Amino acid sequence: MKKLTLLRHAKSSWDDTVTRDFDRPLNEKGKRAAAVMGTFVKRGGITFDLVLASPAQRVIETLEHFVAASGLSIEPQWDRKIYLASSATLMDVLRGADPQAEHILMVGHNPGLEDLVFDLVPHDSSSEPRSAVEVKYPTASLAELTLNIDQWADIKDDCATFDRFTRPRDLDHELGPDYI
């Protein structure tokens, strides 16, 4: 069994004058949400063996605030393939992950992360977390999955159970419901 936690980057600023989407920074609410999620991970004693992340500016900043609040020592493996990736590409990235890693944190973007959840967790699953993701996978939300595989190379559709879905607004009501 392997564990996979998916973190969508926190809310970014559309008001910034950057010329490329890749360079968009977080807004203030996004910084706060990333820190709230880091504190949640710290309180839960959650740790990761490997962090795979998009190198987009909003992911970098999400991890900065997340790590500061979590107290974890994280050295992300930045992978450009994760930036705006499809579920199929994200699965390919995971197949190439260090086989010794038992728990991976992947930090990226929608719709890829959401689609990855739908591909990994069987459609006929009546899990409450999957239903929540079907409604919306808000920024800075964590999806925690257990995969019925021994090696990352074996990842495939319908191999996961959905353990928990945590949104920033679940932890701090000021971060919702208008939080996207």
Side-chain angles (χ1 to χ4, degrees):
M1 301 290 250
K2 299 285 189 182
K3 295 282 291 178
L4 176 63
T5 298
L6 303 172
L7 173 61
R8 183 176 174 203
H9 68 78
K11 187 155 181 63
S12 60
S13 175
W14 286 97
D15 297 332
D16 204 276
T17 58
V18 297
T19 57
R20 298 184 319 158
D21 173 74
F22 187 83
D23 299 323
R24 270 191 298 123
L26 295 185
N27 66 20
E28 290 306 311
K29 204 169 192 180
K31 292 173 186 176
R32 181 173 165 192
V36 163
M37 299 312 286
T39 299
F40 169 76
V41 164
K42 180 179 185 174
R43 288 187 180 146
I46 302 169
T47 60
F48 310 101
D49 302 312
L50 178 62
V51 177
L52 302 171
S54 160
Q57 184 62 33
R58 57 193 178 273
V59 172
I60 292 169
E61 290 183 26
T62 296
L63 275 172
E64 287 172 357
H65 293 276
F66 177 86
V67 168
S70 72
L72 296 173
S73 176
I74 291 178
E75 295 289 332
Q77 287 184 8
W78 305 106
D79 191 333
R80 181 74 184 228
K81 290 181 291 224
I82 297 172
Y83 175 66
L84 302 182
S86 67
S87 173
T89 299
L90 295 174
M91 273 204 231
D92 284 343
V93 169
L94 289 165
R95 284 185 190 105
D98 181 349
Q100 301 303 312
E102 294 298 320
H103 190 174
I104 292 178
L105 171 65
M106 180 176 269
V107 190
H109 312 266
N110 250 5
L113 292 180
E114 181 177 307
D115 291 342
L116 182 61
V117 167
F118 296 148
D119 288 342
L120 292 175
V121 179
H123 187 283
D124 61 355
S125 169
S126 61
S127 79
E128 186 176 320
R130 190 181 195 286
S131 298
V133 171
E134 286 174 354
V135 172
K136 188 171 200 172
Y137 194 141
T139 52
S141 294
L142 280 172
E144 298 174 66
L145 310 173
T146 298
L147 285 64
N148 188 18
I149 57 174
D150 294 321
Q151 298 295 321
W152 291 106
D154 299 331
I155 197 169
K156 62 182 185 213
D157 287 358
D158 299 333
C159 73
T161 55
F162 206 146
D163 301 327
R164 179 168 53 177
F165 185 57
T166 309
R167 302 165 297 195
R169 71 175 179 215
D170 298 332
L171 307 171
D172 180 342
H173 295 290
E174 291 181 15
L175 292 173
D178 66 331
Y179 187 78
I180 18 181

